[in-house]
Amino acid sequence: MYVSWVCTYVIIRGGGIYQRDDFYTICDELGLMVWQEFMFAVSLYPRDGQFLLNVQEEVKYQVRRLGHHPSIVLWSGNNENQDIATQHGTIYIVDYSVLYDGTVRPALLEE
């Protein structure tokens, strides 16, 4: 489908799903760049320990699964969540920071 388009990259949005492995293999073969978001979008998320542990494991799993694909040129923590957090006040900025700066980013860098 993307082959007939004139584009150089696609965005796998945080509001969708992680694509199957063959999608990334095809992107590798075609030289199509992928902006990969983790599956968080336009929402507020909890910051309790169990949820953050689950997020950390998800990030590590997806980076291990997909990180060898040269087509993935950018990992993004989420889709538009910073806007949602800033619209709802200070406590949500703290929640945002705990989730993305304190959990997603370190897990990504660890892998």
Side-chain angles (χ1 to χ4, degrees):
M1 179 165 96
Y2 295 109
V3 177
S4 64
W5 294 3
V6 178
C7 67
T8 57
Y9 76 97
V10 294
I11 299 173
I12 306 302
R13 293 178 52 106
I17 61 170
Y18 294 103
Q19 299 300 308
R20 297 185 327 221
D21 290 342
D22 59 343
F23 169 82
Y24 299 96
T25 300
I26 291 168
C27 288
D28 294 344
E29 292 168 358
L30 295 174
L32 191 59
M33 295 179 285
V34 176
W35 169 314
Q36 178 67 55
E37 294 181 345
F38 292 104
M39 296 299 117
F40 302 101
V42 195
S43 188
L44 302 171
Y45 292 92
R47 62 175 167 139
D48 64 89
Q50 186 59 46
F51 180 77
L52 296 176
L53 182 60
N54 186 30
V55 167
Q56 183 180 42
E57 292 304 313
E58 175 184 335
V59 169
K60 289 180 178 183
Y61 172 79
Q62 294 300 338
V63 172
R64 279 186 227 123
R65 181 175 80 91
L66 301 172
H68 68 280
H69 288 283
S71 57
I72 298 178
V73 297
L74 186 140
W75 291 92
S76 175
N78 63 76
N79 183 304
E80 301 177 7
N81 285 12
Q82 188 171 7
D83 290 340
I84 295 297
T86 56
Q87 291 173 14
H88 288 86
T90 303
I91 188 65
Y92 297 107
I93 296 296
V94 172
D95 290 350
Y96 178 92
S97 181
V98 168
L99 179 57
Y100 300 109
D101 299 331
T103 305
V104 172
R105 187 172 189 272
L108 173 62
L109 293 175
E110 187 177 310
E111 291 302 313

